[in-house]
Amino acid sequence: MSCSNKIYKSVPVKEKMEVSSDSQSDEEGAVQEPAWTYFEGLSYLFGADSTCVGMTDDMDFPEWYSGCVVNDRNRLTINVIGDTLRLRHMLADLLGGDEFDLGEGVCSKNEQIKTRELMNEAISRNYSKIAQGNMSSGSNPDGTIDVCIQGDNDSIIDLFKREVFDSPILRFKVAEEVGIVLDFEVLNYNDKLFATDDSSPQFPGGQTAMLDYIYDNLRYPKEAYDREIQGRVYVKFLVDKTGDIDSVQILRSKDPFLDAEALRIVSTFPKFTPGKMDGNPIDQWMALPIMFKMSDYDERLNKKSIDRQGCKLD
């Protein structure tokens, strides 16, 4: 597939992108700058603005774009279809730098969006034909779609393909119970409604603003800090149809003190733009990993201390 002829405006890379090469993640991988800087620039190319940074299905994606993900080296991998050399030069010019990686996409983001729409329509018409209850799905950055179906064996997949929907870009998995799929690991829970990326609630200012909010407001529990406990806590919460946060719960625990702080910070989130179905606001569940990394926390405290000293000097 050839490159799109669409012309994009260059996006200047921020000065904060200059990050030491020895800045590493802990065992579970905290996302550093320039990855988020490039993600922000990429979202601007596709139509985001400063009020809502991130990717949404209504953006003008070129046919060479499959998706993007932060890899295990804390670099942004942009999955593409077509002439990777030409696309690398083009993206480096548009994003104002080349500290990103290119990956191979299976299909375009546009094809993924269309397939997901068709699958959702088919599910609404035909899913009652499958006796066993739940399923969940999630979009992958290579353009494929994960589908996890509740069942005892792979026959439920064959039934789904035959009676509900099938596509070459669907990737199936069977589980005894179906909940939220995180890295294709099923985290079980009893609620059937969970937000997907095509209609999910939005934090004011978008995903980057939410990460900034967490970074600026997180309080590292002393008990965990003294024992050098780090890692992710996964939190589940409901965004109701008015945008308020409700029913904040731990989905995957790391440490009791870290869990408590993760619950606290999510509970303080401002009002979201609620998710929608058929254009109408609805209650939706969301899942969010809260990363606790001591070096990030120390850096933030040092920055605040310098800022306070600067204010005194002025």
Side-chain angles (χ1 to χ4, degrees):
M1 187 175 296
S2 62
C3 298
S4 169
N5 290 324
K6 181 176 177 61
I7 298 175
Y8 293 95
K9 293 182 179 179
S10 296
V11 177
V13 178
K14 298 178 181 178
E15 291 182 4
K16 66 179 181 179
M17 190 176 156
E18 296 298 328
V19 178
S20 172
S21 60
D22 62 1
S23 178
Q24 299 291 331
S25 63
D26 72 356
E27 62 181 17
E28 296 194 65
V31 177
Q32 304 290 336
E33 287 298 353
W36 286 116
T37 304
Y38 280 115
F39 174 79
E40 184 178 11
L42 196 64
S43 70
Y44 287 148
L45 290 179
F46 299 153
D49 57 41
S50 58
T51 64
C52 187
V53 175
M55 305 289 183
T56 59
D57 285 358
D58 59 354
M59 286 181 168
D60 186 13
F61 296 111
E63 288 303 315
W64 50 259
Y65 176 73
S66 289
C68 61
V69 66
V70 177
N71 60 35
D72 57 7
R73 296 190 298 146
N74 282 320
R75 289 166 63 96
L76 187 69
T77 295
I78 304 172
N79 290 322
V80 300
I81 300 170
D83 186 339
T84 55
L85 181 60
R86 178 184 174 187
L87 289 169
R88 170 170 289 283
H89 289 318
M90 182 188 72
L91 284 167
D93 182 58
L94 291 170
L95 297 175
D98 61 359
E99 295 182 54
F100 57 84
D101 298 323
L102 287 189
E104 182 177 353
V106 174
C107 74
S108 70
K109 182 69 174 178
N110 291 329
E111 182 180 349
Q112 181 192 64
I113 292 169
K114 182 60 177 178
T115 301
R116 197 172 59 232
E117 291 174 348
L118 293 172
M119 181 177 70
N120 290 339
E121 291 173 4
I123 290 170
S124 65
R125 294 192 308 267
N126 304 318
Y127 194 57
S128 59
K129 296 180 180 179
I130 299 182
Q132 289 120 312
N134 283 337
M135 64 161 288
S136 63
S137 64
S139 300
N140 293 321
D142 65 354
T144 59
I145 300 171
D146 287 337
V147 178
C148 186
I149 307 176
Q150 182 175 323
D152 299 325
N153 53 60
D154 288 348
S155 65
I156 193 69
I157 295 177
D158 295 333
L159 182 59
F160 185 92
K161 290 180 176 180
R162 185 173 64 252
E163 300 290 343
V164 182
F165 187 78
D166 193 17
S167 167
I169 69 171
L170 298 185
R171 303 292 181 261
F172 288 95
K173 180 181 176 68
V174 175
E176 293 181 359
E177 293 181 84
V178 172
I180 299 167
V181 178
L182 294 170
D183 299 329
F184 226 30
E185 173 185 356
V186 178
L187 303 179
N188 298 327
Y189 71 111
N190 295 324
D191 306 287
K192 295 183 179 180
L193 185 61
F194 175 67
T196 55
D197 60 354
D198 55 333
S199 63
S200 60
Q202 297 293 320
F203 187 92
Q207 185 179 25
T208 300
M210 180 167 65
L211 293 171
D212 289 342
Y213 180 92
I214 294 171
Y215 181 84
D216 291 339
N217 292 280
L218 183 140
R219 305 169 188 165
Y220 213 116
K222 184 177 185 301
E223 297 85 352
Y225 188 93
D226 290 345
R227 289 184 292 152
E228 299 185 352
I229 298 175
Q230 304 183 106
R232 289 187 179 92
V233 177
Y234 287 87
V235 179
K236 164 190 165 186
F237 59 99
L238 183 71
V239 179
D240 68 22
K241 63 183 63 177
T242 69
D244 289 330
I245 307 300
D246 194 10
S247 303
V248 184
Q249 304 167 34
I250 296 297
L251 195 58
R252 183 195 290 167
S253 174
K254 180 68 179 180
D255 169 83
F257 295 105
L258 298 185
D259 293 351
E261 175 58 13
L263 290 173
R264 183 198 69 79
I265 198 164
V266 171
S267 297
T268 67
F269 277 173
K271 186 185 289 287
F272 277 52
T273 300
K276 293 183 179 181
M277 181 175 293
D278 297 327
N280 298 314
I282 58 172
D283 298 344
Q284 284 191 297
W285 288 99
M286 298 191 73
L288 178 68
I290 305 294
M291 184 68 197
F292 290 86
K293 187 181 180 188
M294 295 171 63
S295 61
D296 287 349
Y297 186 70
D298 292 340
E299 178 184 354
R300 178 165 64 90
L301 291 182
N302 291 335
K303 181 177 183 301
K304 284 189 173 182
S305 176
I306 292 172
D307 289 343
R308 284 196 297 268
Q309 293 174 13
C311 291
K312 290 179 181 178
L313 291 173
D314 290 340

